[in-house]
Amino acid sequence: MTRMSQWRGALLFCAFNALTALPAAAAETVAPARSHNPIAIGMFLLFVASTLFITRWAARKNNSVSDHYAAGGKITAFQNGWAIAGDYMSAASLLGISALVFTSGYDGLIYSIGFLASWPVILFLIAEPLRNLGRYTLADVVSYRLQQRPIRAFAASSSIVIVLLYLVSQMVGAGKLVELLFGFNYTVAVVMVGVLMVVYVFFGGMLATTWIQIIKAALLLAGAAFMAFMVLSRFGFSMNALFAQAILAHPKHAAIMSPGGLVSDPVSAVSLGLALIFGTAGLPHILMRFFTVSDAKAARKSILYATGIVGIGYALIIIIGFGTIALVATDPHYHTASGAVIGGVNMVAIHLAHAVGGNVFLGFICAVAFSTILAVVAGLTLAGSSAVSHDLYANVIRRGAATDREEMHVSRITTLVLGVLAILLGIAFEKQNIAFIVSLTFSIAASSNFPVLLLSIYWRGLTTRGAVLGGSLGLISAVTLTILSPTVWVQVLGHAHAIYPYEYPALFSMIMAFAGVFFFSITDTSARGASERALYGNQLVDCELGMAKHG
Amino acid sequence: MKHGAPTYSMSAQYVATDPPPAANPLLDDPRFRALVRQRRTFSWTLTILMLVVYFAFILTLAFAPALLGRPIVDGSPATWGIPVGFGMFVFTFVLVAVYVARVNTLHDHAVNEIRQGVRQ
């Protein structure tokens, strides 16, 4: 594995959520892109003001645990579709994928395909059973017939690990982005993001979080559509003319129209594909969205809307990416004296916004980019606090005896704690190379939460012992293999050779998890194990008919 | 399929019961068994279809990238990779739409019938 392909691998996952690539990009920066752009700051303040207004409105309706975790189940399928799309089309997608197209052309398209492909799988296998069997967290589903305390302790711990890792990557990304876009100090930016996300979740709960996500998704899609339209209008609405100009402008010329080295190694390619597709199905802040709608049918329809919106969004972003090659790459305005892109390659979409829409549109896109981070961290915080309050506190510690009031109280305290933790971790990791964190997050989700969730729904033979031991095995192997991989062992820890030669652990850690769950379940001869298998039939009825909560 | 906001009563499902409750009589209902069989076959078929198409795409990139790098028309900039790539978006959406359309009509209908039976 060459260094080049390692770098590509790192960039690929960065695109994931964006902004983790910024540390690398920032290294080549001379100065922040635009210090104190007043229009950008004005639009950003307008967005923050309207989200605080929404939070105040939502806070009045936030009266019970069900309201707080799941917006009372009153979100419609159409609204939820936009909210899910919002979770997906982050600043990451816009900045990261267009940057990937800018540097490698076609490879940017490959990446976004993997991202979208996770949705059908979630829909076909997970979404409806999740809605029918659970209330607020995925632990509700897996603990349906398993022993409450151990399985909830496992699912909550693994969810909290995922949420914390994801939060770190978002906080660092947010800090770097705000530093570049608005010219604020990094620490100030991280504290600001932390405080805002706590306010949204603490007062507004799921209702506020959902509406902030919806508005942001609509703004992002509108911005992307305008940008893609303006790019195409420069080329007489001919894709071929756009491609021709891009080939002319790009140093790799015609090579940008064909797959490059992104997936040169089949094991890494398959591993990455697995992490992308199944990791999403194990992310607590994504799964949580299915509890906000009234029934399985609404959950199903919301994925249809989300897939349509996200698909269109990605298509627009690919056009934007080729637009950056055609219009930004050749324009000296957007380059430093040494020829590097001002602010690093992650800023090319921002420069394109300026090229096609002037200062006002630039301000709009900056504000949208930052608001996407706010919306995602709010969702993560809510997912983390519900894992602590609903699973660990109410069911593990209080054994189901906690009142709604107490549970809500603990949830809010957890929100504050998560906010403080996120700020501290964000500051601590400022100078670290955290490109591996996002890949690790998805790999853990694919190897711990996902196998346990899938098998609890589809395999009668699953027992508590198998789920807890096998799931933990998946979590541990995903972490261990990531540490031993080139990205961490060589690039972060500075060793000469990686012990585990591939970029992504998912292929092996998922096999370990499934094999572990299977082995420890079939060798479980306890009476409790037998009764858990016997309960599968009743679970199946609730899973298919969704009557548990209605009849 | 009309029920307003779910009313979350603390049902037996959240309390570990020992010994287990009697098996639901629906499990022996041929309509229920047929529903489960059909749904699972349909869901897993579509899942496998999605995975096969996706990994076929990924492995083509890994083993035969030149295949997607050929121009559609000689001399024009667009390669086969472009329609195939955008085609993957369309395929993903179509698969989701097919699933939703079928489950909304056929399966929801069967579920409602069984539920009516239970309520009577």
Side-chain angles (χ1 to χ4, degrees), chain A residues 103-467:
Chain A
T103 48
S104 328
Y106 188 77
D107 286 356
L109 183 57
I110 301 171
Y111 166 76
S112 42
I113 289 168
F115 225 168
L116 196 64
S118 62
W119 280 107
V121 176
I122 293 177
L123 170 64
F124 304 155
L125 299 181
I126 304 284
E128 293 170 60
L130 196 73
R131 183 68 198 85
N132 280 340
L133 294 174
R135 297 201 299 172
Y136 309 133
T137 64
L138 85 146
D140 286 345
V141 180
V142 293
S143 69
Y144 184 99
R145 65 192 163 105
L146 303 186
Q147 217 181 328
Q148 292 288 319
R149 298 182 75 205
I151 194 67
R152 280 196 191 263
F154 160 75
S157 315
S158 130
S159 297
I160 291 161
V161 168
I162 293 166
V163 163
L164 276 180
L165 285 170
Y166 213 124
L167 264 179
V168 168
S169 70
Q170 292 291 326
M171 292 304 279
V172 174
K176 304 268 179 197
L177 185 70
V178 175
E179 206 177 18
L180 282 166
L181 295 184
F182 303 104
F184 295 161
N185 172 282
Y186 177 87
T187 311
V188 173
V190 167
V191 171
M192 197 166 66
V193 173
V195 170
L196 280 171
M197 83 183 187
V198 168
V199 169
Y200 296 154
V201 176
F202 190 97
F203 296 105
M206 183 49 118
L207 190 61
T209 308
T210 304
W211 274 103
I212 290 166
Q213 198 65 272
I214 293 170
I215 290 172
K216 162 230 133 169
L219 288 176
L220 184 66
L221 197 70
F226 176 76
M227 234 191 312
F229 177 85
M230 293 303 283
V231 166
L232 285 175
S233 75
R234 297 272 180 105
F235 296 95
F237 296 97
S238 154
M239 289 290 278
N240 265 334
L242 170 63
F243 290 146
Q245 174 60 29
I247 290 171
L248 212 63
H250 201 282
K252 290 181 192 157
H253 298 297
I256 58 168
M257 298 306 295
S258 38
L262 192 64
V263 278
S264 48
D265 152 35
V267 174
S268 289
V270 171
S271 232
L272 170 67
L274 288 172
L276 276 172
I277 290 190
F278 298 117
T280 312
L283 293 178
H285 69 292
I286 297 282
L287 296 178
M288 162 181 95
R289 293 243 157 262
F290 298 112
F291 300 118
T292 65
V293 291
S294 60
D295 55 26
K297 183 170 187 165
R300 183 191 307 150
K301 278 160 69 184
S302 56
I303 296 188
L304 180 66
Y305 292 123
T307 313
I309 297 163
V310 174
I312 292 168
Y314 281 149
L316 294 171
I317 292 169
I318 300 299
I319 296 172
I320 290 169
F322 280 100
T324 61
I325 303 176
L327 300 174
V328 175
T330 48
D331 192 330
H333 276 108
Y334 305 119
H335 292 74
T336 59
S338 62
V341 177
I342 296 175
V345 286
N346 278 307
M347 291 296 117
V348 288
I350 303 285
H351 293 317
L352 183 70
H354 182 256
V356 300
N359 268 327
V360 176
F361 188 62
L362 170 78
F364 175 77
I365 288 293
C366 286
V368 167
F370 186 47
S371 65
T372 63
I373 296 180
L374 276 181
V376 172
V377 291
L380 283 167
T381 307
L382 188 56
S385 72
S386 62
V388 171
S389 57
H390 183 63
D391 296 328
L392 286 185
Y393 171 74
N395 284 294
V396 175
I397 297 173
R398 298 290 305 275
R399 296 171 186 254
T403 64
D404 273 15
R405 218 183 129 79
E406 289 170 327
E407 195 175 324
M408 188 94 148
H409 193 61
V410 172
S411 178
R412 287 192 157 142
I413 294 172
T414 313
T415 304
L416 285 177
V417 173
L418 280 175
V420 173
L421 262 180
I423 290 171
L424 292 178
L425 289 171
I427 293 170
F429 279 84
E430 179 188 355
K431 304 263 186 266
Q432 303 295 314
N433 178 358
I434 55 155
F436 67 92
I437 286 189
V438 185
S439 122
L440 178 61
T441 311
F442 275 74
S443 302
I444 291 179
S447 321
S448 65
N449 278 354
F450 172 73
V452 171
L453 181 60
L454 185 80
L455 293 175
S456 76
I457 298 169
Y458 292 99
W459 187 38
R460 181 186 302 272
L462 180 77
T463 69
T464 306
R465 190 174 89 139

Side-chain angles (χ1 to χ4, degrees), chain A residues 106 110 114 120 124 128 131 133 135 240 257-259 263 266 277 297 300 536-538 540 544-546 548-549, chain B residues 6-8 13-14 22 24 26-27 39-40 43 46-47 54 61-63 69 77 79 81 92 99 103-104 108 115:
Chain A
Y106 188 77
I110 301 171
F124 304 155
E128 293 170 60
R131 183 68 198 85
L133 294 174
R135 297 201 299 172
N240 265 334
M257 298 306 295
S258 38
V263 278
I277 290 190
K297 183 170 187 165
R300 183 191 307 150
Y536 181 77
N538 289 2
L540 184 65
E544 293 298 328
L545 301 184
K549 296 177 283 286
Chain B
T7 49
Y8 296 113
Q13 70 183 83
Y14 296 106
N24 195 312
L26 273 177
L27 288 166
R39 279 207 67 154
R40 301 237 150 150
S43 296
L46 287 192
T47 304
Y54 176 69
L61 294 170
F63 289 110
T79 54
T92 306
Y99 175 88
V103 175
N104 269 353
D108 275 359
R115 279 179 166 185

